[in-house]
Amino acid sequence: DATFGWTRYYNLAEIDAWLDTMLAAYPDVTSGFVLGQSYEGRDIRGLLISYKWGNPGVFIESNIHAREWITSATATWLINELLTSKDELVRELAESHDWYIVPVLNVDVFVYTHETDRLWRKTRQPSRISDCVGVDPNRNYDSHWMENGGASSNPCDETYAGPQPFSEPEIKAMSDFVSILKDKINVMLAFHSYSQLLLSPYGHTAEEFPENYADLMQVAKAYSDAVHQLPYGTIYKYGSSAGILYPASGATNDWAYNEQDIKISYTIEFRDTGNFGFVLPAAFIKPNAEETLIGIMALLAESKKLGYMEPKYT
Ligand code: 0X9
Ligand code: ZN
């Protein structure tokens, strides 16, 4: 179908065309941006939604893991809601934040998962020391890189951290862009699937916790409670990444927290809990997206209550 209805998953060309449509339809409040180019030379695109200069900023990174299709489906649905919803609470949410949304960070592999190998996790950049291809982009940020067994040095492993931090152009592009903007960004959300989890820093160790860990858990609880109250009653657990999942170093939300001073920073693992896993049927896109919107609404309200949504500089 030609229209975007979130009843099936869309490929990169369709998402790009849809972004252009939204930019053309809402020129006063949207701006397109390009983080940089992928290994294969594609533009890594994002959309800024800003109704008012000086709003607190929310950055959404989606599909760093390309096979997690529910993430870009949800991110595009969110963009649509923020721009078109007439619901008073959604309008307030949309208009009182600056939204930097990158629906597909790992563009090359998004194409690859559509055309060649549905379950490819890593990047597609070849290795100089091995015939195995690709790096786990969510181990490639320069923050506790390769520490504590939170990533692998073996190019054939699914959690290979790369030959050095930021070896992957997509991750370097994210880093360069966010570094410039960091004073405008109060919240970092990295969309993943699956397991239904809200994961705070740290990822590199379960022995230590961030100084605002209690706040991070209070904010995560607000998200989890809001989602649970909806008709589906979906359960999201929360905790630190290394604490409740496994050690993972060099991930987006840890880097944002540790290196970019973004103190509300989570990895969100969407539906489901393993029945379908990465190959979540399209019928789940809308329920997943709807509860994500409600969750984010609660997350931002709680963050504001705790004082995290003030401008970071004046
Ligand atoms: O392993 C990952 O990168 C994430 N799980 S996934 O199944 N989507 O691959 C979880 C990362 C959580 N850890 C940190 N954010 N440190
Ligand atoms: Zn992932």
Side-chain angles (χ1 to χ4, degrees):
D1 52 9
T3 57
F4 239 58
W6 291 273
T7 53
R8 64 176 177 86
Y9 288 100
Y10 299 98
N11 65 31
L12 189 66
E14 290 172 316
I15 292 175
D16 276 343
W18 179 80
L19 285 174
D20 289 335
T21 305
M22 297 311 268
L23 282 161
Y26 299 93
D28 296 343
V29 295
T30 61
S31 322
F33 60 87
V34 175
L35 288 186
Q37 275 71 43
S38 68
Y39 174 70
E40 290 171 2
R42 293 181 179 86
D43 279 350
I44 303 164
R45 298 181 60 182
L47 188 77
L48 166 63
I49 302 174
S50 177
Y51 284 81
K52 193 169 117 268
W53 168 251
N55 273 334
V58 180
F59 198 106
I60 293 178
E61 177 213 74
S62 169
N63 264 150
I64 186 175
H65 287 145
R67 66 184 177 183
E68 298 163 9
W69 287 4
I70 186 62
T71 64
S72 51
T74 298
T76 51
W77 188 92
L78 284 176
I79 290 171
N80 191 60
E81 280 303 296
L82 294 171
L83 291 172
T84 67
S85 175
K86 301 209 162 33
D87 180 281
E88 213 174 297
L89 291 174
V90 179
R91 289 264 44 83
E92 167 68 19
L93 179 78
E95 293 173 22
S96 60
H97 302 86
D98 283 355
W99 301 86
Y100 297 86
I101 302 180
V102 178
V104 184
L105 175 59
N106 199 349
V107 281
D108 294 349
V109 186
F110 194 66
V111 172
Y112 193 75
T113 60
H114 276 266
E115 294 179 356
T116 309
D117 180 351
R118 174 68 185 83
L119 287 176
W120 191 263
R121 168 181 171 91
K122 296 193 281 182
T123 61
R124 289 296 303 166
Q125 182 164 215
S127 166
R128 292 193 185 149
I129 56 168
S130 162
D131 288 337
C132 292
V133 173
V135 165
D136 184 345
N138 206 34
R139 301 292 182 279
N140 194 236
Y141 285 93
D142 193 2
S143 183
H144 300 277
W145 184 78
M146 277 291 296
E147 275 179 33
N148 292 339
S152 171
S153 58
N154 180 348
C156 296
D157 283 348
E158 287 285 66
T159 57
Y160 176 44
Q164 71 270 328
F166 297 135
S167 60
E168 305 314 285
E170 298 80 8
I171 304 311
K172 177 74 167 74
M174 245 305 270
S175 169
D176 290 348
F177 189 84
V178 173
S179 302
I180 291 167
L181 274 176
K182 64 175 185 173
D183 286 341
K184 296 190 184 304
I185 299 173
N186 299 67
V187 176
M188 173 64 73
L189 303 176
F191 285 0
H192 287 255
S193 71
Y194 56 93
S195 289
Q196 295 171 199
L197 299 170
L198 265 128
L199 302 168
S200 83
Y202 296 130
H204 72 286
T205 175
E207 312 298 312
E208 290 167 48
F209 293 86
E211 43 86 16
N212 66 336
Y213 185 66
D215 288 355
L216 283 164
M217 291 302 103
Q218 187 176 327
V219 169
K221 181 177 189 305
Y223 184 111
S224 177
D225 287 351
V227 168
H228 187 64
Q229 279 164 21
L230 294 170
Y232 305 111
T234 312
I235 292 171
Y236 271 74
K237 295 186 185 154
Y238 50 90
S240 84
S241 298
I244 68 165
L245 193 57
Y246 42 68
S249 52
T252 307
N253 72 310
D254 293 297
W255 164 83
Y257 183 91
N258 292 321
E259 317 300 330
Q260 304 299 318
D261 203 36
I262 300 172
K263 291 304 174 195
I264 299 293
S265 185
Y266 299 93
T267 295
I268 308 182
E269 299 276 0
F270 290 148
R271 293 189 188 201
D272 56 12
T273 53
N275 192 18
F276 295 105
F278 301 118
V279 192
L280 191 68
F284 291 100
I285 296 173
K286 281 183 199 168
N288 187 82
E290 279 162 9
E291 66 196 14
T292 301
L293 174 66
I294 298 300
I296 290 176
M297 216 182 258
L299 178 151
L300 295 178
E302 199 68 20
S303 300
K304 186 176 165 127
K305 216 197 266 177
L306 292 173
Y308 289 97
M309 303 307 279
E310 301 304 316
K312 292 168 80 178
Y313 70 104
T314 45

